[in-house]
PDB file of all heavy atoms in Angstrom:
ATOM      1  N   MET A  72      35.149  -4.381  -8.677  1.00  0.00           N
ATOM      2  CA  MET A  72      36.597  -4.237  -8.489  1.00  0.00           C
ATOM      3  C   MET A  72      37.324  -5.000  -9.586  1.00  0.00           C
ATOM      4  O   MET A  72      36.920  -6.085  -9.990  1.00  0.00           O
ATOM      5  CB  MET A  72      37.003  -4.787  -7.123  1.00  0.00           C
ATOM      6  CG  MET A  72      38.481  -4.656  -6.821  1.00  0.00           C
ATOM      7  SD  MET A  72      38.768  -4.905  -5.033  1.00  0.00           S
ATOM      8  CE  MET A  72      40.556  -4.955  -5.003  1.00  0.00           C
ATOM      9  N   ARG A  73      38.366  -4.377 -10.093  1.00  0.00           N
ATOM     10  CA  ARG A  73      39.203  -5.012 -11.121  1.00  0.00           C
ATOM     11  C   ARG A  73      40.654  -4.858 -10.694  1.00  0.00           C
ATOM     12  O   ARG A  73      41.091  -3.763 -10.364  1.00  0.00           O
ATOM     13  CB  ARG A  73      38.993  -4.322 -12.462  1.00  0.00           C
ATOM     14  CG  ARG A  73      39.864  -4.898 -13.581  1.00  0.00           C
ATOM     15  CD  ARG A  73      39.738  -4.054 -14.832  1.00  0.00           C
ATOM     16  NE  ARG A  73      40.502  -4.588 -15.933  1.00  0.00           N
ATOM     17  CZ  ARG A  73      41.803  -4.372 -16.138  1.00  0.00           C
ATOM     18  NH1 ARG A  73      42.498  -3.628 -15.293  1.00  0.00           N
ATOM     19  NH2 ARG A  73      42.421  -4.907 -17.172  1.00  0.00           N
ATOM     20  N   THR A  74      41.366  -5.970 -10.663  1.00  0.00           N
ATOM     21  CA  THR A  74      42.749  -5.956 -10.205  1.00  0.00           C
ATOM     22  C   THR A  74      43.638  -6.682 -11.204  1.00  0.00           C
ATOM     23  O   THR A  74      43.307  -7.776 -11.652  1.00  0.00           O
ATOM     24  CB  THR A  74      42.855  -6.664  -8.828  1.00  0.00           C
ATOM     25  OG1 THR A  74      41.930  -6.057  -7.930  1.00  0.00           O
ATOM     26  CG2 THR A  74      44.257  -6.538  -8.261  1.00  0.00           C
ATOM     27  N   GLU A  75      44.734  -6.018 -11.565  1.00  0.00           N
ATOM     28  CA  GLU A  75      45.776  -6.696 -12.330  1.00  0.00           C
ATOM     29  C   GLU A  75      46.879  -7.069 -11.351  1.00  0.00           C
ATOM     30  O   GLU A  75      47.343  -6.221 -10.598  1.00  0.00           O
ATOM     31  CB  GLU A  75      46.358  -5.779 -13.416  1.00  0.00           C
ATOM     32  CG  GLU A  75      45.397  -5.452 -14.538  1.00  0.00           C
ATOM     33  CD  GLU A  75      45.980  -4.454 -15.537  1.00  0.00           C
ATOM     34  OE1 GLU A  75      47.214  -4.337 -15.631  1.00  0.00           O
ATOM     35  OE2 GLU A  75      45.187  -3.765 -16.204  1.00  0.00           O
ATOM     36  N   PHE A  76      47.263  -8.324 -11.361  1.00  0.00           N
ATOM     37  CA  PHE A  76      48.370  -8.706 -10.477  1.00  0.00           C
ATOM     38  C   PHE A  76      49.242  -9.755 -11.155  1.00  0.00           C
ATOM     39  O   PHE A  76      48.833 -10.379 -12.131  1.00  0.00           O
ATOM     40  CB  PHE A  76      47.846  -9.205  -9.126  1.00  0.00           C
ATOM     41  CG  PHE A  76      47.047 -10.482  -9.184  1.00  0.00           C
ATOM     42  CD1 PHE A  76      47.676 -11.728  -9.224  1.00  0.00           C
ATOM     43  CD2 PHE A  76      45.661 -10.458  -9.192  1.00  0.00           C
ATOM     44  CE1 PHE A  76      46.943 -12.909  -9.278  1.00  0.00           C
ATOM     45  CE2 PHE A  76      44.918 -11.636  -9.234  1.00  0.00           C
ATOM     46  CZ  PHE A  76      45.572 -12.865  -9.281  1.00  0.00           C
ATOM     47  N   SER A  77      50.434  -9.945 -10.616  1.00  0.00           N
ATOM     48  CA  SER A  77      51.294 -11.019 -11.096  1.00  0.00           C
ATOM     49  C   SER A  77      51.639 -11.904  -9.909  1.00  0.00           C
ATOM     50  O   SER A  77      51.707 -11.437  -8.763  1.00  0.00           O
ATOM     51  CB  SER A  77      52.560 -10.454 -11.728  1.00  0.00           C
ATOM     52  OG  SER A  77      53.274  -9.695 -10.787  1.00  0.00           O
ATOM     53  N   GLY A  78      51.819 -13.193 -10.164  1.00  0.00           N
ATOM     54  CA  GLY A  78      52.147 -14.096  -9.066  1.00  0.00           C
ATOM     55  C   GLY A  78      52.023 -15.541  -9.487  1.00  0.00           C
ATOM     56  O   GLY A  78      51.614 -15.850 -10.606  1.00  0.00           O
ATOM     57  N   THR A  79      52.360 -16.401  -8.557  1.00  0.00           N
ATOM     58  CA  THR A  79      52.279 -17.852  -8.780  1.00  0.00           C
ATOM     59  C   THR A  79      51.168 -18.368  -7.877  1.00  0.00           C
ATOM     60  O   THR A  79      51.324 -18.421  -6.653  1.00  0.00           O
ATOM     61  CB  THR A  79      53.614 -18.519  -8.392  1.00  0.00           C
ATOM     62  OG1 THR A  79      54.664 -17.811  -9.044  1.00  0.00           O
ATOM     63  CG2 THR A  79      53.640 -19.975  -8.798  1.00  0.00           C
ATOM     64  N   ILE A  80      50.034 -18.690  -8.479  1.00  0.00           N
ATOM     65  CA  ILE A  80      48.876 -19.051  -7.650  1.00  0.00           C
ATOM     66  C   ILE A  80      48.188 -20.302  -8.182  1.00  0.00           C
ATOM     67  O   ILE A  80      48.354 -20.677  -9.340  1.00  0.00           O
ATOM     68  CB  ILE A  80      47.816 -17.916  -7.624  1.00  0.00           C
ATOM     69  CG1 ILE A  80      47.380 -17.576  -9.067  1.00  0.00           C
ATOM     70  CG2 ILE A  80      48.319 -16.701  -6.892  1.00  0.00           C
ATOM     71  CD1 ILE A  80      46.051 -16.884  -9.140  1.00  0.00           C
ATOM     72  N   ASN A  81      47.403 -20.903  -7.304  1.00  0.00           N
ATOM     73  CA  ASN A  81      46.467 -21.941  -7.715  1.00  0.00           C
ATOM     74  C   ASN A  81      45.157 -21.210  -8.026  1.00  0.00           C
ATOM     75  O   ASN A  81      44.494 -20.681  -7.129  1.00  0.00           O
ATOM     76  CB  ASN A  81      46.278 -22.936  -6.569  1.00  0.00           C
ATOM     77  CG  ASN A  81      45.283 -24.018  -6.941  1.00  0.00           C
ATOM     78  OD1 ASN A  81      44.221 -23.729  -7.480  1.00  0.00           O
ATOM     79  ND2 ASN A  81      45.636 -25.272  -6.634  1.00  0.00           N
ATOM     80  N   GLU A  82      44.796 -21.180  -9.307  1.00  0.00           N
ATOM     81  CA  GLU A  82      43.669 -20.335  -9.726  1.00  0.00           C
ATOM     82  C   GLU A  82      42.360 -20.750  -9.063  1.00  0.00           C
ATOM     83  O   GLU A  82      41.602 -19.920  -8.568  1.00  0.00           O
ATOM     84  CB  GLU A  82      43.539 -20.372 -11.256  1.00  0.00           C
ATOM     85  CG  GLU A  82      44.771 -19.783 -11.933  1.00  0.00           C
ATOM     86  CD  GLU A  82      44.763 -19.926 -13.460  1.00  0.00           C
ATOM     87  OE1 GLU A  82      43.678 -20.110 -14.033  1.00  0.00           O
ATOM     88  OE2 GLU A  82      45.851 -19.835 -14.059  1.00  0.00           O
ATOM     89  N   GLY A  83      42.094 -22.055  -9.080  1.00  0.00           N
ATOM     90  CA  GLY A  83      40.844 -22.555  -8.505  1.00  0.00           C
ATOM     91  C   GLY A  83      40.743 -22.219  -7.025  1.00  0.00           C
ATOM     92  O   GLY A  83      39.682 -21.797  -6.546  1.00  0.00           O
ATOM     93  N   SER A  84      41.825 -22.341  -6.350  1.00  0.00           N
ATOM     94  CA  SER A  84      41.798 -22.097  -4.902  1.00  0.00           C
ATOM     95  C   SER A  84      41.638 -20.613  -4.599  1.00  0.00           C
ATOM     96  O   SER A  84      40.957 -20.230  -3.641  1.00  0.00           O
ATOM     97  CB  SER A  84      43.050 -22.703  -4.257  1.00  0.00           C
ATOM     98  OG  SER A  84      43.788 -21.751  -3.553  1.00  0.00           O
ATOM     99  N   LEU A  85      42.211 -19.742  -5.435  1.00  0.00           N
ATOM    100  CA  LEU A  85      42.008 -18.306  -5.209  1.00  0.00           C
ATOM    101  C   LEU A  85      40.539 -17.945  -5.380  1.00  0.00           C
ATOM    102  O   LEU A  85      39.957 -17.216  -4.557  1.00  0.00           O
ATOM    103  CB  LEU A  85      42.863 -17.458  -6.175  1.00  0.00           C
ATOM    104  CG  LEU A  85      42.588 -15.951  -6.118  1.00  0.00           C
ATOM    105  CD1 LEU A  85      42.859 -15.377  -4.729  1.00  0.00           C
ATOM    106  CD2 LEU A  85      43.425 -15.186  -7.155  1.00  0.00           C
TER     107      LEU A  85
END
Side-chain angles (χ1 to χ4, degrees):
Chain A
M72 181 164 172
R73 178 187 182 276
T74 306
E75 292 176 23
F76 65 82
S77 60
T79 309
I80 56 159
N81 179 314
E82 297 174 21
S84 123
L85 173 60

